[in-house]
């Protein structure tokens, strides 16, 4: 459904493998890069984090789930395994920018440690109201943001679909 949501917002999508270098991605001249979800522990993904770090400031970046965790690693943060993973389509998340609660869909067992992210370059934007884990952040210094949950959830909830529009706006600015 991620591809459908991107196309619905007017994006033309090119999918590349996770092992693609930043140079190869940039050679495609993208308007933005979307970091998708995926399984497992993000810590071993040092290569992917380095490639994302090389993309930052060169093109807008939006990540969800594992993409959120990789962007966290690329931003100087650390990840950790949750005692109990987040699963299901009814997790309340506070959007700290709008001060509204969004009902979100989750399927992950790891999280980004908010205390490991440098406050000078990272703004924490979303927090899980069940356990206070970090659910989203944006970079202050480059056009990049991410969320831990699934705004593309099908059949829902759809409270966070606006994030795809935010990504398109970031790419057009």
């Amino acid at each position: 459904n991620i591809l459908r949501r991107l196309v619905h917002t007017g994006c033309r999508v090119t999918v590349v493998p996770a092992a693609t270098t930043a140079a190869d991605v940039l050679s495609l001249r993208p308007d933005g890069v979307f970091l998708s979800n995926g399984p497992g522990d993000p810590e071993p993904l040092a290569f992917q984090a380095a490639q994302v770090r090389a993309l930052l400031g060169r093109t807008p970046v939006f990540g969800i789930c594992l993409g959120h965790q990789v962007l966290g690693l690329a931003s100087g943060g650390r990840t950790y395994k949750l005692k109990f993973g987040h699963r299901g389509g009814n997790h309340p998340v506070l959007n700290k920018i709008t001060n509204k609660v969004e009902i979100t869909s989750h399927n992950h067992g790891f999280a980004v440690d908010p205390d490991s992210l440098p406050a000078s370059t990272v703004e924490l934007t979303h927090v899980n109201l069940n356990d206070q884990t970090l659910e989203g952040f944006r970079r202050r210094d480059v056009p990049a943001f991410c969320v831990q949950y699934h705004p593309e959830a099908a059949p829902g909830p759809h409270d966070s679909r606006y994030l795809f529009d935010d990504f398109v706006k970031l790419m057009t600015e």
Side-chain angles (χ1 to χ4, degrees):
N1 203 37
I2 293 168
L3 298 175
R4 280 192 287 273
R5 295 306 318 151
L6 288 167
V7 169
H8 178 77
T9 59
C11 295
R12 187 185 55 160
V13 179
T14 301
V15 178
V16 299
T20 305
T21 66
D24 286 344
V25 169
L26 292 171
S27 74
L28 298 171
R29 301 182 55 195
D31 293 323
V33 171
F34 183 87
L35 308 174
S36 68
N37 56 336
D41 184 351
E43 284 293 331
L45 302 179
F47 172 81
Q48 287 78 7
Q51 301 315 302
V52 171
R53 195 174 306 111
L55 292 170
L56 293 174
R58 310 277 307 274
T59 189
V61 175
F62 174 24
I64 65 164
C65 197
L66 184 64
H68 160 84
Q69 296 162 2
V70 172
L71 183 57
L73 294 171
S75 299
R78 293 182 311 273
T79 60
Y80 64 95
K81 185 170 178 50
L82 294 167
K83 183 174 181 180
F84 301 104
H86 294 175
R87 314 277 182 229
N90 61 349
H91 287 260
V93 169
L94 175 64
N95 179 327
K96 294 172 71 169
I97 295 169
T98 65
N99 207 33
K100 292 183 180 179
V101 175
E102 301 168 12
I103 302 303
T104 60
S105 178
H106 291 237
N107 188 22
H108 60 95
F110 293 85
V112 175
D113 177 1
D115 295 331
S116 69
L117 294 168
S120 60
T121 57
V122 174
E123 177 184 10
L124 308 181
T125 59
H126 296 78
V127 63
N128 189 303
L129 294 178
N130 289 333
D131 63 6
Q132 303 305 303
T133 54
L134 179 63
E135 294 291 344
F137 68 86
R138 66 181 175 191
R139 293 285 302 254
R140 299 176 193 272
D141 56 339
V142 295
F145 70 99
C146 57
V147 292
Q148 177 61 73
Y149 53 89
H150 294 271
E152 85 291 356
H158 300 161
D159 292 8
S160 302
R161 279 192 173 170
Y162 69 89
L163 292 166
F164 289 94
D165 295 326
D166 288 356
F167 182 47
V168 169
K169 183 178 177 190
L170 196 62
M171 288 188 288
T172 59
E173 289 178 347

